[in-house]
PDB file of all heavy atoms in Angstrom:
ATOM      1  N   HIS B 296      -9.117  29.815 -27.049  1.00 96.00           N
ATOM      2  CA  HIS B 296      -8.618  31.040 -26.435  1.00 96.00           C
ATOM      3  C   HIS B 296      -9.175  32.223 -27.214  1.00 96.00           C
ATOM      4  O   HIS B 296      -9.294  32.162 -28.435  1.00 96.00           O
ATOM      5  CB  HIS B 296      -7.087  31.056 -26.465  1.00 96.00           C
ATOM      6  CG  HIS B 296      -6.500  32.272 -25.797  1.00 96.00           C
ATOM      7  ND1 HIS B 296      -6.584  32.476 -24.440  1.00 96.00           N
ATOM      8  CD2 HIS B 296      -5.833  33.349 -26.301  1.00 96.00           C
ATOM      9  CE1 HIS B 296      -5.989  33.627 -24.127  1.00 96.00           C
ATOM     10  NE2 HIS B 296      -5.527  34.171 -25.246  1.00 96.00           N
ATOM     11  N   ALA B 297      -9.531  33.292 -26.510  1.00 96.00           N
ATOM     12  CA  ALA B 297     -10.071  34.460 -27.210  1.00 96.00           C
ATOM     13  C   ALA B 297      -9.149  35.671 -27.020  1.00 96.00           C
ATOM     14  O   ALA B 297      -8.814  36.019 -25.880  1.00 96.00           O
ATOM     15  CB  ALA B 297     -11.475  34.772 -26.696  1.00 96.00           C
ATOM     16  N   PHE B 298      -8.725  36.262 -28.135  1.00 96.00           N
ATOM     17  CA  PHE B 298      -7.918  37.494 -28.101  1.00 96.00           C
ATOM     18  C   PHE B 298      -8.827  38.699 -28.296  1.00 96.00           C
ATOM     19  O   PHE B 298      -9.889  38.601 -28.914  1.00 96.00           O
ATOM     20  CB  PHE B 298      -6.899  37.505 -29.252  1.00 96.00           C
ATOM     21  CG  PHE B 298      -5.887  36.400 -29.182  1.00 96.00           C
ATOM     22  CD1 PHE B 298      -5.996  35.285 -30.009  1.00 96.00           C
ATOM     23  CD2 PHE B 298      -4.800  36.482 -28.303  1.00 96.00           C
ATOM     24  CE1 PHE B 298      -5.055  34.284 -29.963  1.00 96.00           C
ATOM     25  CE2 PHE B 298      -3.858  35.472 -28.253  1.00 96.00           C
ATOM     26  CZ  PHE B 298      -3.986  34.368 -29.088  1.00 96.00           C
ATOM     27  N   ASP B 299      -8.351  39.852 -27.810  1.00 96.00           N
ATOM     28  CA  ASP B 299      -9.036  41.110 -28.129  1.00 96.00           C
ATOM     29  C   ASP B 299      -8.436  41.622 -29.437  1.00 96.00           C
ATOM     30  O   ASP B 299      -7.286  42.059 -29.490  1.00 96.00           O
ATOM     31  CB  ASP B 299      -8.837  42.125 -27.001  1.00 96.00           C
ATOM     32  CG  ASP B 299      -9.610  43.406 -27.271  1.00 96.00           C
ATOM     33  OD1 ASP B 299      -9.407  43.993 -28.360  1.00 96.00           O
ATOM     34  OD2 ASP B 299     -10.413  43.795 -26.410  1.00 96.00           O
ATOM     35  N   TYR B 300      -9.226  41.536 -30.497  1.00 97.00           N
ATOM     36  CA  TYR B 300      -8.723  41.875 -31.829  1.00 97.00           C
ATOM     37  C   TYR B 300      -8.201  43.304 -31.901  1.00 97.00           C
ATOM     38  O   TYR B 300      -7.150  43.556 -32.491  1.00 97.00           O
ATOM     39  CB  TYR B 300      -9.836  41.672 -32.862  1.00 97.00           C
ATOM     40  CG  TYR B 300      -9.439  42.109 -34.251  1.00 97.00           C
ATOM     41  CD1 TYR B 300      -8.594  41.318 -35.024  1.00 97.00           C
ATOM     42  CD2 TYR B 300      -9.888  43.316 -34.790  1.00 97.00           C
ATOM     43  CE1 TYR B 300      -8.210  41.706 -36.291  1.00 97.00           C
ATOM     44  CE2 TYR B 300      -9.520  43.723 -36.058  1.00 97.00           C
ATOM     45  CZ  TYR B 300      -8.674  42.915 -36.815  1.00 97.00           C
ATOM     46  OH  TYR B 300      -8.287  43.312 -38.057  1.00 97.00           O
ATOM     47  N   ASP B 301      -8.902  44.229 -31.256  1.00 96.00           N
ATOM     48  CA  ASP B 301      -8.502  45.643 -31.335  1.00 96.00           C
ATOM     49  C   ASP B 301      -7.132  45.860 -30.700  1.00 96.00           C
ATOM     50  O   ASP B 301      -6.332  46.660 -31.189  1.00 96.00           O
ATOM     51  CB  ASP B 301      -9.562  46.525 -30.678  1.00 96.00           C
ATOM     52  CG  ASP B 301     -10.883  46.424 -31.434  1.00 96.00           C
ATOM     53  OD1 ASP B 301     -10.844  46.344 -32.682  1.00 96.00           O
ATOM     54  OD2 ASP B 301     -11.940  46.380 -30.777  1.00 96.00           O
ATOM     55  N   LEU B 302      -6.878  45.117 -29.625  1.00 96.00           N
ATOM     56  CA  LEU B 302      -5.558  45.229 -28.993  1.00 96.00           C
ATOM     57  C   LEU B 302      -4.464  44.707 -29.921  1.00 96.00           C
ATOM     58  O   LEU B 302      -3.376  45.278 -30.011  1.00 96.00           O
ATOM     59  CB  LEU B 302      -5.528  44.445 -27.674  1.00 96.00           C
ATOM     60  CG  LEU B 302      -6.210  45.089 -26.463  1.00 96.00           C
ATOM     61  CD1 LEU B 302      -6.138  44.157 -25.270  1.00 96.00           C
ATOM     62  CD2 LEU B 302      -5.547  46.431 -26.140  1.00 96.00           C
ATOM     63  N   LEU B 303      -4.762  43.578 -30.610  1.00 96.00           N
ATOM     64  CA  LEU B 303      -3.776  43.005 -31.526  1.00 96.00           C
ATOM     65  C   LEU B 303      -3.473  43.986 -32.657  1.00 96.00           C
ATOM     66  O   LEU B 303      -2.330  44.169 -33.068  1.00 96.00           O
ATOM     67  CB  LEU B 303      -4.289  41.687 -32.119  1.00 96.00           C
ATOM     68  CG  LEU B 303      -4.442  40.517 -31.158  1.00 96.00           C
ATOM     69  CD1 LEU B 303      -4.920  39.281 -31.930  1.00 96.00           C
ATOM     70  CD2 LEU B 303      -3.114  40.198 -30.464  1.00 96.00           C
ATOM     71  N   ARG B 304      -4.514  44.625 -33.126  1.00 96.00           N
ATOM     72  CA  ARG B 304      -4.387  45.574 -34.232  1.00 96.00           C
ATOM     73  C   ARG B 304      -3.537  46.767 -33.811  1.00 96.00           C
ATOM     74  O   ARG B 304      -2.647  47.213 -34.540  1.00 96.00           O
ATOM     75  CB  ARG B 304      -5.798  46.036 -34.636  1.00 96.00           C
ATOM     76  CG  ARG B 304      -5.869  46.499 -36.039  1.00 96.00           C
ATOM     77  CD  ARG B 304      -7.265  46.939 -36.438  1.00 96.00           C
ATOM     78  NE  ARG B 304      -7.085  47.805 -37.591  1.00 96.00           N
ATOM     79  CZ  ARG B 304      -6.931  47.336 -38.824  1.00 96.00           C
ATOM     80  NH1 ARG B 304      -7.020  46.041 -39.051  1.00 96.00           N
ATOM     81  NH2 ARG B 304      -6.706  48.159 -39.831  1.00 96.00           N
ATOM     82  N   GLU B 305      -3.805  47.192 -32.605  1.00 95.00           N
ATOM     83  CA  GLU B 305      -3.066  48.327 -32.066  1.00 95.00           C
ATOM     84  C   GLU B 305      -1.584  47.987 -31.922  1.00 95.00           C
ATOM     85  O   GLU B 305      -0.716  48.757 -32.308  1.00 95.00           O
ATOM     86  CB  GLU B 305      -3.663  48.652 -30.686  1.00 95.00           C
ATOM     87  CG  GLU B 305      -3.401  50.037 -30.180  1.00 95.00           C
ATOM     88  CD  GLU B 305      -4.057  50.210 -28.811  1.00 95.00           C
ATOM     89  OE1 GLU B 305      -5.281  49.971 -28.701  1.00 95.00           O
ATOM     90  OE2 GLU B 305      -3.330  50.529 -27.860  1.00 95.00           O
ATOM     91  N   ARG B 306      -1.315  46.796 -31.378  1.00 93.00           N
ATOM     92  CA  ARG B 306       0.066  46.326 -31.197  1.00 93.00           C
ATOM     93  C   ARG B 306       0.818  46.316 -32.514  1.00 93.00           C
ATOM     94  O   ARG B 306       1.969  46.742 -32.603  1.00 93.00           O
ATOM     95  CB  ARG B 306       0.036  44.865 -30.699  1.00 93.00           C
ATOM     96  CG  ARG B 306       0.406  44.660 -29.272  1.00 93.00           C
ATOM     97  CD  ARG B 306       0.004  43.250 -28.870  1.00 93.00           C
ATOM     98  NE  ARG B 306       0.919  42.219 -29.326  1.00 93.00           N
ATOM     99  CZ  ARG B 306       1.840  41.650 -28.549  1.00 93.00           C
ATOM    100  NH1 ARG B 306       1.973  42.027 -27.292  1.00 93.00           N
ATOM    101  NH2 ARG B 306       2.632  40.723 -29.016  1.00 93.00           N
ATOM    102  N   SER B 307       0.152  45.758 -33.544  1.00 94.00           N
ATOM    103  CA  SER B 307       0.846  45.575 -34.826  1.00 94.00           C
ATOM    104  C   SER B 307       0.836  46.848 -35.651  1.00 94.00           C
ATOM    105  O   SER B 307       1.513  46.927 -36.673  1.00 94.00           O
ATOM    106  CB  SER B 307       0.149  44.480 -35.643  1.00 94.00           C
ATOM    107  OG  SER B 307      -0.069  43.366 -34.850  1.00 94.00           O
ATOM    108  N   GLY B 308       0.026  47.793 -35.269  1.00 94.00           N
ATOM    109  CA  GLY B 308      -0.095  49.021 -36.050  1.00 94.00           C
ATOM    110  C   GLY B 308      -0.737  48.743 -37.387  1.00 94.00           C
ATOM    111  O   GLY B 308      -0.331  49.269 -38.417  1.00 94.00           O
ATOM    112  N   GLY B 309      -1.720  47.879 -37.437  1.00 94.00           N
ATOM    113  CA  GLY B 309      -2.404  47.554 -38.695  1.00 94.00           C
ATOM    114  C   GLY B 309      -2.928  46.140 -38.617  1.00 94.00           C
ATOM    115  O   GLY B 309      -3.111  45.588 -37.512  1.00 94.00           O
ATOM    116  N   LYS B 310      -3.149  45.501 -39.738  1.00 96.00           N
ATOM    117  CA  LYS B 310      -3.678  44.144 -39.761  1.00 96.00           C
ATOM    118  C   LYS B 310      -2.708  43.198 -39.065  1.00 96.00           C
ATOM    119  O   LYS B 310      -1.553  43.067 -39.471  1.00 96.00           O
ATOM    120  CB  LYS B 310      -3.877  43.709 -41.220  1.00 96.00           C
ATOM    121  CG  LYS B 310      -4.339  42.277 -41.350  1.00 96.00           C
ATOM    122  CD  LYS B 310      -4.425  41.872 -42.825  1.00 96.00           C
ATOM    123  CE  LYS B 310      -4.599  40.369 -42.962  1.00 96.00           C
ATOM    124  NZ  LYS B 310      -4.564  39.954 -44.377  1.00 96.00           N
ATOM    125  N   PRO B 311      -3.177  42.559 -37.999  1.00 97.00           N
ATOM    126  CA  PRO B 311      -2.261  41.659 -37.293  1.00 97.00           C
ATOM    127  C   PRO B 311      -2.126  40.321 -38.010  1.00 97.00           C
ATOM    128  O   PRO B 311      -3.019  39.911 -38.729  1.00 97.00           O
ATOM    129  CB  PRO B 311      -2.937  41.475 -35.933  1.00 97.00           C
ATOM    130  CG  PRO B 311      -4.381  41.715 -36.178  1.00 97.00           C
ATOM    131  CD  PRO B 311      -4.508  42.646 -37.366  1.00 97.00           C
ATOM    132  N   THR B 312      -0.985  39.676 -37.796  1.00 97.00           N
ATOM    133  CA  THR B 312      -0.790  38.313 -38.287  1.00 97.00           C
ATOM    134  C   THR B 312      -0.443  37.420 -37.093  1.00 97.00           C
ATOM    135  O   THR B 312       0.457  37.742 -36.319  1.00 97.00           O
ATOM    136  CB  THR B 312       0.360  38.258 -39.316  1.00 97.00           C
ATOM    137  OG1 THR B 312      -0.007  39.077 -40.429  1.00 97.00           O
ATOM    138  CG2 THR B 312       0.603  36.841 -39.783  1.00 97.00           C
ATOM    139  N   ILE B 313      -1.197  36.338 -36.981  1.00 97.00           N
ATOM    140  CA  ILE B 313      -0.912  35.359 -35.924  1.00 97.00           C
ATOM    141  C   ILE B 313       0.125  34.375 -36.462  1.00 97.00           C
ATOM    142  O   ILE B 313      -0.067  33.816 -37.547  1.00 97.00           O
ATOM    143  CB  ILE B 313      -2.195  34.602 -35.504  1.00 97.00           C
ATOM    144  CG1 ILE B 313      -3.280  35.578 -35.035  1.00 97.00           C
ATOM    145  CG2 ILE B 313      -1.883  33.544 -34.453  1.00 97.00           C
ATOM    146  CD1 ILE B 313      -3.015  36.255 -33.724  1.00 97.00           C
ATOM    147  N   ILE B 314       1.195  34.199 -35.699  1.00 97.00           N
ATOM    148  CA  ILE B 314       2.259  33.279 -36.131  1.00 97.00           C
ATOM    149  C   ILE B 314       2.466  32.254 -35.014  1.00 97.00           C
ATOM    150  O   ILE B 314       2.626  32.632 -33.848  1.00 97.00           O
ATOM    151  CB  ILE B 314       3.582  34.035 -36.365  1.00 97.00           C
ATOM    152  CG1 ILE B 314       3.366  35.153 -37.399  1.00 97.00           C
ATOM    153  CG2 ILE B 314       4.692  33.078 -36.791  1.00 97.00           C
ATOM    154  CD1 ILE B 314       4.421  36.226 -37.341  1.00 97.00           C
ATOM    155  N   THR B 315       2.435  30.954 -35.366  1.00 97.00           N
ATOM    156  CA  THR B 315       2.779  29.955 -34.345  1.00 97.00           C
ATOM    157  C   THR B 315       4.181  29.465 -34.658  1.00 97.00           C
ATOM    158  O   THR B 315       4.501  29.122 -35.780  1.00 97.00           O
ATOM    159  CB  THR B 315       1.788  28.774 -34.298  1.00 97.00           C
ATOM    160  OG1 THR B 315       1.989  27.954 -35.440  1.00 97.00           O
ATOM    161  CG2 THR B 315       0.360  29.259 -34.230  1.00 97.00           C
ATOM    162  N   ARG B 316       5.010  29.448 -33.603  1.00 97.00           N
ATOM    163  CA  ARG B 316       6.428  29.084 -33.765  1.00 97.00           C
ATOM    164  C   ARG B 316       7.000  28.770 -32.390  1.00 97.00           C
ATOM    165  O   ARG B 316       6.367  29.023 -31.366  1.00 97.00           O
ATOM    166  CB  ARG B 316       7.194  30.250 -34.392  1.00 97.00           C
ATOM    167  CG  ARG B 316       7.124  31.522 -33.546  1.00 97.00           C
ATOM    168  CD  ARG B 316       8.116  32.568 -34.018  1.00 97.00           C
ATOM    169  NE  ARG B 316       7.914  33.865 -33.378  1.00 97.00           N
ATOM    170  CZ  ARG B 316       8.347  34.187 -32.158  1.00 97.00           C
ATOM    171  NH1 ARG B 316       9.014  33.277 -31.435  1.00 97.00           N
ATOM    172  NH2 ARG B 316       8.138  35.383 -31.647  1.00 97.00           N
TER     173      ARG B 316
END
Side-chain angles (χ1 to χ4, degrees):
Chain B
H296 182 68
F298 297 103
D299 183 305
Y300 175 76
D301 297 322
L302 283 178
L303 293 182
R304 205 179 159 82
E305 201 180 305
R306 253 167 78 101
S307 312
K310 176 184 168 185
T312 298
I313 303 290
I314 303 160
T315 73
R316 60 168 170 80

